[in-house]
Amino acid sequence: NRVSTQWIWNKLLWTSTRCWCLLFRSGSGSTRCSGRVEIYQSNTWGTVCDDNWDLNDSQVVCRQLNCGTALQAPRSARFGAGTGQIWLDNVTCSGNESSLTECQHSGFGSNSCGHGQDAGVICSGEKNLVGSGSTRCSGRVEVYHNNSWGTVCDNGWDVNDAHVVCRQLNCGTALQAPRSAYFGAGTGQIWLDNMGCSWYESSLIECQHSGFGTNYCGHQQDAGVICSGPVRLVGSGSTRCSGRVEFYYGNTWGTVCDNGWDLNDAEVVCRELNCGTALQAPRSAYFGAVGGQIWLDNVTCSGNESSLTQCQHLGFGTYTCGYYQTAGVICSGPIRLVGSGSTPCSGRVEIYHNNSWGTVCDDYWDLNDAAVLCRQLNCGPALQAPRSAHFGAGTGQIWFDNVTCSGNENSLTECQHSAFLSKKCGHDKDAGVICSGEITFR
């Protein structure tokens, strides 16, 4: 059969009697891994109706086409209305089937809809997260190239590279960039090595790398990602730890209304993103207004929840506000105060570096150093610079030692200090701060 050049063949699955074919029609924004779904039956291409069409159904299509993970299950002819036959309706997949035709449906040619309801898919593309303990937003990174999946070597692998993957998978912000086959060693091809992403690329293959198949490592160096999941910070003037709060739900990113939005709510977001302590909870579209979906309103957190979804709210998609009432956060960034007897403005100083929190040694630690930290946390002037693990001894890494600030720096990292990873002291010398208290900006 002749197929028009405006169609893109993705994969052919042969049986003894017929050809089950999946196709994304080009045009209307389709790509190799996104578009209107069409199947080939009885010598004719036809579409799929969107009744009950969901992410499980899309997942089967994406897997069948080696297109990674399903990100969205567009409905209502998002990629344009097809013509001719509508082959499937009321498709119900568990998500584990190897072919769309294995899912429950109304029967070939039996439908109750028009082409205004043609179903589509948006897949992650040639990228997937797999391995031991993996989830939709964390796992070993694998890339599809030259008809086979392969891993990414961890030489040069960092949070910038991981962030590109997280963004591409609609998984929010990169929290960690695990190395050394953290999610287990893969097999077969190693496709990429020496990644050099700037953070802003839309796809991993846009980043600098050694070239497909050129590598200097084994699978014990397979790279992974741990993403924040369905929360991200975006908007005008946003950074990794400040911006308009957006939440991913129902295959769509949406905003959070600022009714009742306060520092406790912001604290949960900052913790979820490994961004330290909440400094401000901006309202009134501080980081810019945007149209589209509003997912949450009247969010009420105690501040101790591990995820924004654990807080009270009106329900997804229920809101009483407009686009100029979107909520935002400004977090302290990679710094936090913790320990026995700690408060938002006093505690053991810990810094987030190289995917883990670590302490600061108290060698030369004084009031000038504490003053920089208190200012960075919007906690007013420094009152004390406690030493000798005043707030209890930490565990794990000790990142800073011999910190020497003038007191005028904007961040502790701007002060002179010994190289990251100090080996000259123990956690019995962990440094702390006691600040005068929170400063609120009006």
Side-chain angles (χ1 to χ4, degrees):
N1 296 314
R2 182 176 63 85
V3 180
S4 168
T5 56
Q6 71 174 357
W7 287 354
I8 305 172
W9 287 73
N10 289 77
K11 184 160 182 166
L12 302 179
L13 301 176
W14 291 91
T15 71
S16 59
T17 58
R18 57 170 63 93
C19 163
W20 299 120
C21 306
L22 283 174
L23 164 138
F24 293 149
R25 187 160 183 149
S26 62
S28 301
S30 67
T31 68
R32 195 191 81 79
C33 288
S34 63
R36 182 179 66 247
V37 179
E38 296 193 2
I39 66 171
Y40 194 69
Q41 159 76 3
S42 300
N43 299 319
T44 303
W45 287 100
T47 61
V48 177
C49 186
D50 67 7
D51 291 331
N52 298 322
W53 186 254
D54 63 16
L55 211 60
N56 285 340
D57 309 322
S58 291
Q59 182 62 38
V60 174
V61 175
C62 293
R63 183 188 307 112
Q64 192 172 358
L65 298 176
N66 271 327
C67 278
T69 304
L71 302 182
Q72 297 184 42
R75 305 171 72 172
S76 304
R78 162 87 172 268
F79 292 96
T83 58
Q85 190 64 249
I86 298 175
W87 277 129
L88 296 180
D89 193 8
N90 292 312
V91 176
T92 305
C93 304
S94 68
N96 299 317
E97 297 84 355
S98 58
S99 167
L100 200 64
T101 57
E102 295 178 5
C103 304
Q104 293 182 358
H105 55 82
S106 299
F108 285 100
S110 177
N111 64 81
S112 56
C113 63
H115 283 295
Q117 290 181 255
D118 284 343
V121 300
I122 298 177
C123 310
S124 63
E126 297 81 2
K127 190 175 285 80
N128 207 7
L129 300 181
V130 294
S132 175
S134 64
T135 68
R136 194 186 81 77
C137 290
S138 64
R140 181 176 67 247
V141 180
E142 295 200 355
V143 174
Y144 191 73
H145 176 70
N146 201 24
N147 299 320
S148 66
W149 289 98
T151 61
V152 177
C153 187
D154 66 8
N155 290 322
W157 185 254
D158 63 16
V159 74
N160 285 344
D161 309 317
H163 183 70
V164 173
V165 175
C166 294
R167 183 193 302 115
Q168 191 171 4
L169 295 177
N170 271 332
C171 280
T173 302
L175 301 183
Q176 297 184 44
R179 305 170 72 172
S180 304
Y182 181 88
F183 292 96
T187 58
Q189 191 65 248
I190 299 174
W191 279 129
L192 297 177
D193 192 8
N194 293 311
M195 300 302 304
C197 301
S198 67
W199 177 282
Y200 298 103
E201 295 85 355
S202 58
S203 169
L204 201 63
I205 59 175
E206 294 179 8
C207 304
Q208 292 183 351
H209 55 82
S210 300
F212 283 102
T214 301
N215 63 80
Y216 305 96
C217 64
H219 283 294
Q220 72 278 3
Q221 289 182 256
D222 285 342
V225 298
I226 298 176
C227 310
S228 64
V231 176
R232 67 180 184 184
L233 303 179
V234 294
S236 175
S238 64
T239 69
R240 194 184 82 79
C241 289
S242 64
R244 181 177 65 246
V245 179
E246 293 197 356
F247 193 84
Y248 192 72
Y249 180 78
N251 305 324
T252 302
W253 286 101
T255 57
V256 177
C257 189
D258 67 8
N259 289 323
W261 186 254
D262 63 16
L263 212 59
N264 283 342
D265 309 321
E267 180 67 29
V268 173
V269 174
C270 293
R271 182 188 308 112
E272 191 171 0
L273 297 176
N274 268 335
C275 278
T277 304
L279 302 183
Q280 298 182 48
R283 305 170 70 173
S284 304
Y286 181 88
F287 290 96
V290 63
Q293 185 66 49
I294 299 174
W295 277 130
L296 297 178
D297 192 8
N298 287 316
V299 176
T300 305
C301 304
S302 68
N304 298 317
E305 297 85 353
S306 58
S307 168
L308 202 63
T309 56
Q310 294 177 0
C311 304
Q312 292 182 356
H313 55 83
L314 294 182
F316 289 103
T318 301
Y319 57 90
T320 58
C321 64
Y323 299 124
Y324 287 90
Q325 289 181 258
T326 54
V329 298
I330 298 176
C331 309
S332 64
I335 199 158
R336 67 183 184 183
L337 301 180
V338 294
S340 176
S342 64
T343 72
C345 289
S346 64
R348 180 176 66 248
V349 180
E350 293 197 357
I351 293 172
Y352 192 73
H353 174 70
N354 200 25
N355 304 322
S356 65
W357 288 98
T359 61
V360 176
C361 187
D362 66 8
D363 291 331
Y364 301 116
W365 185 254
D366 63 15
L367 211 58
N368 282 341
D369 309 322
V372 172
L373 195 63
C374 293
R375 183 187 310 112
Q376 188 175 356
L377 296 176
N378 278 336
C379 280
L383 300 182
Q384 297 181 46
R387 305 170 71 173
S388 303
H390 179 85
F391 291 96
T395 59
Q397 298 287 4
I398 299 175
W399 282 129
F400 276 11
D401 192 10
N402 297 315
V403 176
T404 307
C405 303
S406 68
N408 298 317
E409 296 85 354
N410 295 315
S411 167
L412 200 65
T413 56
E414 295 179 7
C415 304
Q416 292 184 356
H417 58 82
S418 300
F420 280 101
L421 191 57
S422 172
K423 299 181 180 179
K424 295 182 179 180
C425 66
H427 284 294
D428 57 322
K429 298 177 70 178
D430 285 341
V433 297
I434 298 176
C435 310
S436 63
E438 177 186 339
I439 293 179
T440 301
F441 294 96
R442 301 183 183 275

